Amino acid sequence: CTWLDGRFCHSTAPIRSYIASQFGFEYSHSGGIKLLARLGFEYRKPKALPRVSSAEKQAEFIALYERLMTELGVDEAVYFADAVHPEYQTKPAFGWVKTAS
């Protein structure tokens, strides 16, 4: 289970491949699903939520941001870092995860 704890697998294929290469056991797709269930994993596919904005929370954030920008010291700077491009039609990730014990 340690190998799978550090990964996010969308299907049983990489898990079955790992088991075959490390332990020599060949599992079918349905056998892999049953094994994962016995090991305490489940297949989760989250539901997408519609984007809803709160005018009050937006106003709070704007006030916080403006206060932050006006109270900056002369030796301080604000950097914006974003490693992900926003997508208009995002799709939630799904796969095998450990169930809560």
Side-chain angles (χ1 to χ4, degrees), residues 19-97:
I19 292 170
S21 67
Q22 293 295 312
F23 306 105
F25 294 112
E26 297 283 335
Y27 280 92
S28 65
H29 176 68
S30 61
I33 291 171
K34 291 175 185 176
L35 173 66
L36 288 167
R38 282 194 308 270
L39 293 174
F41 288 85
E42 68 181 5
Y43 192 78
R44 288 195 184 166
K45 188 169 186 178
K47 294 179 182 174
L49 298 174
R51 184 175 57 126
V52 178
S53 59
S54 164
E56 295 84 22
K57 288 189 178 188
Q58 287 181 2
E60 283 178 34
F61 176 77
I62 291 169
L64 172 77
Y65 176 76
E66 287 175 348
R67 190 176 74 242
L68 172 70
M69 296 306 283
T70 56
E71 295 176 359
L72 281 178
V74 292
D75 60 340
E76 295 178 319
V78 175
Y79 292 95
F80 295 93
D82 188 3
V84 180
H85 267 296
E87 211 178 285
Y88 178 65
Q89 295 178 341
T90 58
K91 296 178 184 171
F94 53 92
W96 289 97
V97 294

Side-chain angles (χ1 to χ4, degrees), residues 11-22:
S11 72
T12 62
I15 300 164
R16 290 183 292 130
S17 176
Y18 174 78
I19 292 170
S21 67
Q22 293 295 312

